[in-house]
Structures are given as C-alpha cells and as structure tokens.
Amino acid sequence: MEFQSIRLYSLFITLLALSGLSLTAQESDYQSFTKISIITGSSASEVELKVSQLLHDRLSENNHLSVDIVSEKDVTELDAQSLNIVLGHHQNHSLMQDIFNQYRIPTLTELAPGPEGFLLKTIEREDRAILLAAGIDDRGCLYSVGEILRRAIIEKDQVLLPNHIDIRTAPAFEIRGTQFGQSRIAKQLGKVREWTTAETQRVILDYALAGANIFPTHSKEDYDFIKSYGLMVENSFGANTAGSDIPLEWNASESIGRKGYVCLSVPEARKFMLEKCENYFKSSPSYDLIKFYGGDGGGCECDRCNPYGLTFIKLVEEMAAIIHKYHPETRIYFTNQKFDNEDDNAIFDYLNEKPRPWLWAWGYGPGSDATTWQPGHRQSHRMDLFQYPGFGPYGLYPQEILHQIPRRHQLLYYNEITHWKYAQHAYIQMYPRADRNGDLPPHWGHEIYERRPDQFLTMVYNRLTFYAWPKFYHRVFNDLMRYGIGDITHSSGHHDHFNQWMWQRLLWAPRTSVEDVINEYCITWFGREAAPLMAEALLLLESNMEEQPGTPLDQKVDIERYYNLVKQAGQKMSPHQMSNNWLWRMYMQKGALDRYIQLDVDQQKKYEKSIISKAANILSIPKKSDIESIIDSWKIPVESTEMQSLKAEAKELGNESNELFGQRIAGIYNLKHDYIGLGWLYRQLQRSANSDTETAKELLRQIVHYEDPGQGGYYDNLGTANIAPNVVHGYPYDHGQPYVSEMLSESNRPSQRSMHFTQDEDEGVTLLYKDLDPNAEYRIRFTLVRPWYQERYADRMNQKSETIWADDQVLAKDLELPLQMSDFYSFDIPPSLTNDGELRIMFQRADDVARGDRVEIEQWRNSGGWGTMVSEIWLSKK
C-alpha cells in the first residue's frame, strides 16, 4: 500500500507536468520586475529595518536586479516602474495605514491573523505594482518576508511574483524552533570546511523565514544575532552535569556509564552544581527559555537517588530560583529523557502537591516516551496505556502527561528528526529489546519497529547522513503535536535540511498535506520547473532508504529512478538557480552514491552466484585440486565503468557542495565493503581444501545449500523479521548503541551478523521443536559470534561464553563465542531426547554475567550487555 501511494503520487506529478499546469502557476499568472522598492515606515523598529535589509539582500544577491530600501517619509509617490513592497508593522507605517483605509482592508488583530502573523496582499492598481507586507508585530514582518521569498521566482535579471496574492496567516504553535550548526560527523567523516559566521547566520535566518521563532545556543555572538531579529533564544543546563574533573566519590551511576555527571545524593556534589548554576546565570544573558535535561546523557541510577526523577526535580526547583533571581522573565522547563515510570510518577506527584509557578513546561524528547521502545532504553513502560490505543503509540504518553500535570504547565517537544537510524522515530537496527520488566510492544504497534534501514545502505551511511523523510515524519508530527504547544527539534547538523524545514512549516500550518509541504519545499529550493521532478524524487528517497522485504537493494528499480529524476531536475533549473545551489548537489550526490552501492551489491551477488555454481559442479566428488582451482581464481569484482563514473560524479558534487556551503555526504569516503559475506565464502573454500573428502563435501554443501537443513530438518534464522518459527524465548539483539562497523566482521554473511539474545533473565534464548521423528537421530548446528565493544562500554562487558542445553542435558558447557567473526558449532542430539517427538534447546548465561549490583546490571543492559546469544540454528536428521 505504501509503494502504491508513492506511485499514484508520482503519476499525479507527471500528469500535472504534461498538462502544463505544473505545481506552480503558468507564466501568465506572474508579473516580472527588474526594479524593486522596499518602503519602510517612518517609525520602523530596528527589527523592521533589519527585516527590510534581509529582504533586500535575498532579492538582490547574485543578480542584476535593482533593489532599494526607502523610508516612507522620503517617498512622494510610488514608483510606477518598480514593484513597491510596503513592509513593516502596520502601526509603525502611515502609508500602510492609508492603504488599509483606502482599500477597506480589515486591520490586523490578535485573532486575525493572530500573534506573529502577517498579511501579504497585492493591491490591484493598473498604474502601480504594490505588495502589502504587513506584520502584526516584529516577527510578523520577518515571516511576511519568508512568504515573499517562497513565492518569488528570482532570476539573474528579473523577479517574478504572482499577479494575485492575498494571505492572512499566523502560526499555529507558540514555540517553533530547531538546533542549528554543522555536525561533528560532517567535519570528521565528511571532511567539510567550517562554516563562516555569515553562513551560520544564514541557516538561522533560513529556518526563521520558514517560521521558526526560537533557537538554542550557548554563544553570545549567536545570541545577539538571533535577538536582533526579534527572535527568542533557548539555553540548556544539565542538573547533574559537572563538565569538569570531579572527585571519584561524586560520580553518578549514569544509565550507560558516561563520565562527567555527579550523584545529586552526595551533598558536596549537589552544592557544587548549585554553585555552578549561580556562577553561570549571574553573568549570562537573559534567555527566553532554559531547558533542564534529565538524561541522554545525565541522571543517576543509584539507590540513594531513586527515584531520580524526584531528586532531579527538587534540585531543578532550586536552580530555577537562582535563575529567576537574575532573569525573572525566563521560562523554565525540563525533559524526562531516560526516566522510568517511577521517576515520572514521582514528578507527577510533586507537581500536584502544590502550585509550582517557577515551572513552565514538561519537555518531551528522545527517551521520554513511556509507550514506545526507543534507543536510549527507557527501563520501564506504561503498559496500562495500550488498551484502546486510539491513533497508536506515539500520542499515548503525551496525552497521559497532560492528564497528570496541573493546568498551569505546558507540554513542549524536543523531537529528534536528525538521525535516520537508531534514534527517536528513526529506523531501528533490530527489533527492540525487552525492558527491565520484560515488556515488549504489543502486536498492533509492531509497524513502527518493522521499519528497518536498508541493510546495505546502512553499511555506508553514518547515522547523520543526508536524508529526507516527508511521509513518515509527517505522520509523527500529526500523532504527537496535537498535545503540545510547540517543538524545538533536536538536530545534530544540516544533513536533515528537509526534515527541519518541514517541521517549521507544519508548526505554522499543521494541517498542510505532505504533498503540499513537499511541493512548497521543492519550489522554494529548486524552482518551479524542477519542482515536480524533485517532489517525486523526495518520496523515492524515503522509500529507497528502507529495507523492503523481498526487494533487496540490487532489485530496487527506484534507486536509478531517483538518480535520473534529480539529474533531470538539475537540467530544468536555470543557470542562476544552479550556480550556488549546494542543496541540489547534496540530493544528486545521494543519488550517485546509492546507485554506486546498488551496482556494487549486484556485482558481489553475481560473483557469489558464480562461486556457488563452481562449488555445486564439484560437490559430488570434491577433489582438493578442484577446490584449490576455485581459490586460485578468486578475484573480487573491481569497479565497473559505470561505478567509476558515479563515484567521480559524487566526488565532484561533494567538492562543489563543500565549497559552496560546507556540506558533503560522508559516504563517499566509505564505499569499500563486503556487503554479502564474500569473506566467509572464501574461508569456507579454504577450509574445504584442507579437509578430508567427507568434511570437504559437507563444507561445500553449506556453500551450495546454505539454509537447507535437509529432509525433515529445521532452519531458524534468528534476528529481526527473519524466519525463526521455533524460537519461544529471546528477541533480536540491538547492540545497545549505534552500530559501528568494528562490532562484527563484514566477512560474516548477513544472516550471521544478526542474532537473538537475552539479557539478565534466567532463561536464555530458547527453541522448542515439535513433531520430530521419534525414530530418527538428529544433529544440531549453531552459528555463534559475539560483538566487539567500544572502549566506553567494554569495561563492563565480561560475557564471552554460554552453556547450551538440550532438554535437561548439557550439549556444551561455557562455550566461548568467537569475537567478531562467526563460526559453526555442531552437536549430536541423544536419541533419548527426541523419541517423544519434542526437543527444547536453551542457552544459559555464564555464572558471572549480569549478577550482583542492580546499578551495574542496569548500565550493562543499557549499553548492549548480553547473557545468551545465537545467530542461526539447523536441526537436521543424521
């Protein structure tokens, strides 16, 4: 159904283009101007003047247009040869008031359009071209400029504007903001240059023109710039974030063991944090909002702090008093990131105990949701809320929060729309692990966890790769935002350009359809001629990134279609539009790189098929010389001519986008991969060459008929969304952290890289076989492997082995799993265990794994600890 809707929309776009109606109006609906006068009010505020200058700069950059700013007091009559843009706060502009009166235009009010709103209206006069851009306040003036720029078609020698504009509008949400800046990953992996101050400010203004009114920053320079446009500034403060060397005994038991956080139950540490708060805010600017974050990272899991939510909120109350001593107008909110049910309930009780006027809002960010299983591993969930779920899991807990907190408090979001995998609302890597209570999502909510990243693309692209998710994020927005007063989205860079831009537009007008959002975006950033092609491409980009059961990457025809659409869109853009369009170059890079990866996967699969065919030809009588002949001829496919061309194209585009705006897709430096486990295939051939005839035959049979357990046998591929019908306990391993390539060798086959596991449960991964032949003898084979851990997690990961049981008999005691590269382990099953037609296989954790201190176990669980683990199992008749 998902793909059908994309196809229907693509057909819609194509028909519009063929009909000549296109996504924008025809030429006859536009008027061309080469000269523009921006007329400001005689009492214009400093913000109005800056906004006028901003419009001037955006209209006149890189072209030959004549754009002037003139005060109304210097205007005797409007220029008949110009587009006269009468811009400003309607109360500060006499000419604007005269136009309102003359044309009987209803004045701007707090309801029509509303706070921060504006009126943008063409005045119908044959002798003069007049565009009224009236803001109800300073920000309204800024947003009117955003609307002008979205509707204008700016070329090198002219500006085209629709003949008729009549828009009276204001934002739907009070708080509309996003983080901004370049990501550390872009600089390290993408090797991009640093933004200049002007480029950083341009990004801020781009999102402000889209409707944003608040930006987080610690920088005084950024603060002054943002404030100069009448916008708001947020800052954040970690209630237990020391940020410096602290005594060892002060250290918090942070949920995944990060350093630099203090335990607030240590009196000296608590005093230290209060003094830090005082020292910071007594000399800081007055921020509009201060956010206190509870976790990710931060918090303390120790028994003295339990429930940490109550420990946290009591300290935040004292810190709020310090802030309000210096900045009485600052509004305070907190986030419950990584809190559990006990923490949240303690805060609910605290807020309802008596009025807490110091607190403005409850913040809701990554790890805050008690009804979804997200990376960050909230340790308990509100299972009671799943009865009668309404629109589904995303909106259940925000609604519950509103029910629980006093009416004086608001709900403010901090949604994460910056990572495409392993994050709030992102693709999960594996199906979510059970929480502390053993709870997993109900069956009806599985769809959001079955969205997985394409298994090959995820090997190339970092979590912070360039991407756009129009359809899914539109759904998330509509599920969540009805309960809050706004959002300051979490972004770790500029690779999520579309997502951030769409979020600001939806915060302004939430009932805008996803098609209209896409169309507006494409017209704004690529021009009206290229817009239909780019609109279709964005939808394909979203679907291409997802794992599609039955359609692996090498069979996704839309990879090439996306590439062609973006290329054709570039050909539709004028030289002026294309000259400095770093954004189109990013979309084009993505197309070239995706296509390169697709061809590489296809090459590797074809090579694998040829090796399997050779192995099949000698399977009946496997001579050592024949096997060695296959090994001697081993030659991994090199880049095809098309692949070389695509890589060169992506490299050139990356250099251009970096030069233009410090942006590049880092995947260009990470294209060499063993996507399908050719390394395993080569090792298997080497082993067969060094084995006796019967062993060699069995090893080659594993190559030729890998998944086949033989007549009357069973094969279980343990992992996410794999066929494992005999598993009765365990769940897919999600690594506990963002996946890094070093965790498991790429030489493993894809089925070997994924596994089921258990954590600190007494019962490990368990399989139950029924309807076995009571007269047959069985042999079982396991694929086992364990991951490598990054240094920050490794010191608490002591697990290496597991015990395997067949019914009540031990098959293997403390069997050590190989590190990173998998291997097979085979055992005969005693006939006495299967003569009743059933067999239970259970894995048991080692005696020293996940035992003892509660806090250490929680940290171990949250960072990927495993008690038992297995990738594949074959149960075959002997």
Side-chain angles (χ1 to χ4, degrees):
M1 198 66 183
E2 179 85 4
F3 302 117
Q4 183 181 7
S5 65
I6 291 175
R7 295 295 187 201
L8 289 173
Y9 182 62
S10 299
L11 178 61
F12 166 73
I13 296 293
T14 303
L15 290 175
L16 282 177
L18 291 174
S19 69
L21 296 176
S22 78
L23 293 174
T24 60
Q26 297 181 21
E27 290 288 348
S28 59
D29 295 326
Y30 281 75
Q31 189 170 357
S32 172
F33 302 96
T34 59
K35 187 177 179 183
I36 299 171
S37 294
I38 302 170
I39 304 170
T40 60
S42 57
S43 303
S45 67
E46 290 185 14
V47 172
E48 289 177 81
L49 296 177
K50 284 188 71 69
V51 167
S52 300
Q53 187 63 49
L54 172 61
L55 178 59
H56 168 278
D57 294 346
R58 291 293 176 100
L59 288 174
S60 60
E61 62 185 355
N62 303 319
N63 58 41
H64 300 146
L65 295 172
S66 171
V67 184
D68 296 316
I69 301 174
V70 58
S71 172
E72 64 173 339
K73 65 178 180 289
D74 299 322
V75 176
T76 55
E77 64 175 339
L78 299 179
D79 188 345
Q81 306 303 315
S82 295
L83 168 63
N84 297 278
I85 302 178
V86 182
L87 171 63
H89 191 316
H90 68 298
Q91 292 184 348
N92 298 342
H93 208 307
S94 299
L95 174 59
M96 183 177 290
Q97 292 174 20
D98 291 342
I99 294 174
F100 268 80
N101 293 331
Q102 180 179 353
Y103 292 91
R104 298 185 179 181
I105 300 171
T107 189
L108 306 185
T109 70
E110 288 299 306
L111 291 179
E116 304 180 79
F118 63 86
L119 171 68
L120 190 65
K121 182 178 177 64
T122 48
I123 303 302
E124 307 294 340
R125 282 183 54 171
E126 294 183 0
D127 61 332
R128 298 288 187 276
I130 304 173
L131 179 62
L132 189 66
I136 194 171
D137 49 28
D138 283 345
R139 286 185 213 149
C141 298
L142 174 64
Y143 302 135
S144 73
V145 167
E147 191 67 35
I148 292 171
L149 293 172
R150 282 189 293 276
R151 292 181 175 268
I153 301 170
I154 306 173
E155 294 293 350
K156 197 169 187 65
D157 56 359
Q158 65 175 340
V159 170
L160 288 87
L161 274 174
N163 291 329
H164 180 74
I165 302 174
D166 192 353
I167 301 169
R168 185 183 289 254
T169 182
F173 289 87
E174 178 183 354
I175 301 297
R176 310 174 308 280
T178 187
Q179 294 173 318
F180 61 90
Q182 289 176 291
S183 73
R184 172 180 53 85
I185 295 299
K187 295 176 184 178
Q188 291 179 352
L189 302 184
K191 304 177 184 178
V192 299
R193 64 170 178 81
E194 291 273 355
W195 279 351
T196 64
T197 298
E199 286 169 334
T200 299
Q201 292 175 351
R202 186 180 185 95
V203 168
I204 294 169
L205 290 175
D206 281 347
Y207 291 125
L209 290 167
N213 66 357
I214 187 167
F215 296 91
T217 187
H218 295 272
S219 161
K220 181 62 166 60
E221 183 179 26
D222 288 342
Y223 176 95
D224 291 339
F225 177 77
I226 294 165
K227 279 293 188 179
S228 73
Y229 281 89
L231 300 166
M232 296 186 290
V233 181
E234 180 205 61
N235 204 341
S236 58
F237 197 83
N240 74 326
T241 305
S244 61
D245 292 334
I246 53 174
L248 184 63
E249 59 271 19
W250 289 13
N251 273 303
S253 299
E254 202 269 345
S255 63
I256 57 175
R258 291 173 175 168
K259 305 300 182 184
Y261 300 96
V262 301
C263 171
L264 298 178
S265 296
V266 176
E268 294 84 358
R270 195 176 192 278
K271 180 182 178 183
F272 172 84
M273 290 307 306
L274 287 169
E275 290 175 350
K276 180 182 177 183
C277 179
E278 177 101 29
N279 291 333
Y280 182 79
F281 286 105
K282 71 181 179 182
S283 57
S284 77
S286 288
Y287 294 96
D288 297 276
L289 290 182
I290 296 294
K291 174 181 68 180
F292 285 92
Y293 51 91
D296 194 19
C300 184
E301 300 285 332
C302 82
D303 291 331
R304 290 180 296 172
C305 286
N306 192 46
Y308 180 73
L310 184 60
T311 303
F312 165 83
I313 201 69
K314 286 182 175 179
L315 179 65
V316 170
E317 181 170 28
E318 293 184 51
M319 290 179 167
I322 293 172
I323 293 171
H324 285 150
K325 179 171 61 174
Y326 299 106
H327 312 288
E329 300 303 316
T330 295
R331 293 188 285 185
I332 307 293
Y333 77 106
F334 73 93
T335 68
N336 66 324
Q337 292 170 262
K338 289 192 179 179
F339 286 2
D340 59 22
N341 293 342
E342 187 179 9
D343 293 326
D344 285 355
N345 289 335
I347 297 176
F348 289 144
D349 291 343
Y350 164 84
L351 296 180
N352 283 291
E353 183 180 63
K354 67 177 185 179
R356 310 286 182 182
W358 62 268
L359 179 67
W360 179 57
W362 181 301
Y364 190 90
S368 291
D369 190 1
T371 53
T372 59
W373 277 248
Q374 299 168 351
H377 306 301
R378 184 183 175 99
Q379 297 182 38
S380 57
H381 292 79
R382 287 290 301 274
M383 305 305 293
D384 59 305
L385 299 180
F386 287 112
Q387 298 180 19
Y388 301 107
F391 288 96
Y394 288 137
L396 293 177
Y397 203 48
Q399 184 180 45
E400 175 68 9
I401 291 172
L402 284 185
H403 288 162
Q404 293 275 6
I405 61 177
R407 292 184 63 184
R408 72 166 58 242
H409 304 307
Q410 307 291 344
L411 181 62
L412 178 64
Y413 290 97
Y414 171 50
N415 276 305
E416 207 269 51
I417 55 174
T418 196
H419 297 97
W420 73 293
K421 56 184 178 179
Y422 200 75
Q424 183 191 30
H425 313 315
Y427 290 136
I428 62 166
Q429 293 172 181
M430 302 292 175
Y431 196 78
R433 65 172 67 186
D435 66 16
R436 177 198 294 148
N437 301 323
D439 289 325
L440 282 165
H443 70 281
W444 54 260
H446 284 195
E447 46 119 0
I448 63 175
Y449 307 106
E450 290 168 358
R451 297 177 64 254
R452 297 184 61 207
D454 184 280
Q455 65 172 305
F456 302 120
L457 295 180
T458 196
M459 296 172 72
V460 173
Y461 297 121
N462 184 271
R463 292 173 73 207
L464 297 178
T465 196
F466 184 82
Y467 79 115
W469 273 1
K471 292 185 70 175
F472 186 73
Y473 278 150
H474 190 273
R475 175 254 171 103
V476 171
F477 182 96
N478 280 276
D479 281 5
L480 280 175
M481 293 309 303
R482 65 188 68 197
Y483 302 107
I485 59 162
D487 201 342
I488 306 173
T489 57
H490 169 40
S491 174
S492 296
H494 207 49
H495 56 279
D496 50 1
H497 182 268
F498 172 84
N499 305 330
Q500 293 193 68
W501 196 91
M502 178 179 78
W503 220 262
Q504 300 311 314
R505 300 304 295 142
L506 290 176
L507 286 167
W508 189 281
R511 295 193 182 277
T512 307
S513 70
V514 66
E515 292 83 5
D516 285 347
V517 172
I518 295 171
N519 295 345
E520 184 185 59
Y521 176 82
C522 292
I523 292 169
T524 300
W525 294 96
F526 310 110
R528 58 179 178 150
E529 296 301 321
L533 298 166
M534 288 302 301
E536 184 179 353
L538 256 66
L539 290 168
L540 295 182
L541 174 59
E542 181 172 18
S543 62
N544 285 341
M545 296 183 76
E546 187 165 341
E547 184 72 12
Q548 299 171 12
T551 310
L553 182 69
D554 53 301
Q555 297 177 24
K556 289 181 177 177
V557 296
D558 286 338
I559 295 289
E560 187 172 14
R561 177 158 178 76
Y562 169 88
Y563 172 84
N564 290 331
L565 283 167
V566 179
K567 178 150 287 192
Q568 291 165 22
Q571 294 166 356
K572 293 280 188 181
M573 294 167 64
S574 69
H576 176 69
Q577 291 170 325
M578 181 59 76
S579 61
N580 62 350
N581 199 309
W582 64 271
L583 187 58
W584 176 86
R585 288 167 171 84
M586 292 295 285
Y587 282 104
M588 195 67 242
Q589 281 175 70
K590 188 70 167 67
L593 292 173
D594 282 359
R595 178 64 175 151
Y596 177 98
I597 299 163
Q598 181 183 49
L599 293 173
D600 200 3
V601 170
D602 183 59
Q603 277 194 161
Q604 291 189 21
K605 284 190 172 185
K606 287 177 179 175
Y607 186 70
E608 178 190 48
K609 187 176 181 180
S610 71
I611 297 297
I612 291 173
S613 177
K614 292 177 181 178
N617 290 336
I618 64 171
L619 183 57
S620 58
I621 308 176
K623 297 178 182 178
K624 182 181 179 68
S625 59
D626 291 335
I627 301 172
E628 289 178 339
S629 176
I630 299 175
I631 295 172
D632 291 342
S633 66
W634 184 273
K635 187 177 181 181
I636 299 293
V638 297
E639 291 178 340
S640 66
T641 301
E642 184 178 1
M643 290 170 64
Q644 292 173 359
S645 175
L646 288 164
K647 187 164 74 172
E649 180 183 14
K651 184 177 181 180
E652 181 180 0
L653 288 163
N655 290 339
E656 291 174 1
S657 60
N658 180 46
E659 182 180 350
L660 286 169
F661 209 70
Q663 295 289 292
R664 179 190 281 121
I665 296 179
I668 187 67
Y669 301 114
N670 189 33
L671 290 175
K672 190 173 180 60
H673 291 280
D674 182 352
Y675 291 103
I676 61 173
L678 291 175
W680 173 86
L681 188 60
Y682 187 76
R683 186 185 69 172
Q684 195 80 348
L685 288 169
Q686 287 182 313
R687 285 181 168 181
S688 63
N690 295 321
S691 301
D692 58 65
T693 301
E694 285 305 310
T695 302
K697 191 172 183 177
E698 175 57 26
L699 291 170
L700 291 175
R701 199 188 84 83
Q702 291 170 5
I703 290 175
V704 177
H705 305 291
Y706 185 80
E707 294 184 0
D708 183 12
Q711 183 70 30
Y714 303 82
Y715 170 70
D716 287 86
N717 182 4
L718 289 85
T720 298
N722 295 333
I723 299 175
N726 299 295
V727 174
V728 294
H729 187 70
Y731 29 85
Y733 182 58
D734 75 346
H735 306 283
Q737 53 191 300
Y739 184 82
V740 296
S741 59
E742 296 88 350
M743 287 184 181
L744 295 170
S745 171
E746 287 185 357
S747 292
N748 292 295
R749 291 170 57 97
S751 60
Q752 297 165 347
R753 298 172 195 156
S754 65
M755 57 280 286
H756 267 45
F757 86 127
T758 55
Q759 301 167 89
D760 54 336
E761 304 97 317
D762 289 331
E763 181 182 7
V765 176
T766 305
L767 291 89
L768 180 61
Y769 299 94
K770 295 186 176 183
D771 301 321
L772 299 180
D773 183 348
N775 300 314
E777 294 186 16
Y778 287 89
R779 185 168 178 79
I780 197 164
R781 182 170 83 242
F782 306 101
T783 303
L784 300 177
V785 65
R786 61 186 169 95
W788 167 87
Y789 289 95
Q790 295 167 273
E791 183 179 351
R792 59 183 284 196
Y793 305 108
D795 62 352
R796 69 182 75 96
M797 299 298 171
N798 66 320
Q799 67 279 2
K800 293 182 179 179
S801 66
E802 59 192 359
T803 296
I804 308 175
W805 292 78
D807 289 345
D808 58 354
Q809 295 189 31
V810 173
L811 286 183
K813 176 68 175 175
D814 293 330
L815 176 64
E816 183 171 337
L817 281 65
L819 179 65
Q820 295 173 291
M821 184 62 201
S822 67
D823 216 337
F824 297 135
Y825 298 82
S826 299
F827 304 91
D828 290 329
I829 302 295
S832 61
L833 302 182
T834 57
N835 59 18
D836 61 352
E838 292 190 1
L839 177 67
R840 185 181 187 87
I841 298 294
M842 190 189 83
F843 293 77
Q844 181 182 22
R845 63 191 160 118
D847 292 340
D848 61 345
V849 171
R851 303 182 193 276
D853 181 77
R854 176 191 67 82
V855 175
E856 290 181 354
I857 292 175
E858 293 294 354
Q859 292 178 321
W860 173 86
R861 289 177 72 256
N862 284 341
S863 49
W866 58 270
T868 67
M869 180 176 288
V870 57
S871 294
E872 300 170 290
I873 303 178
W874 295 258
L875 181 65
S876 306
K877 287 184 177 181
K878 294 176 64 177

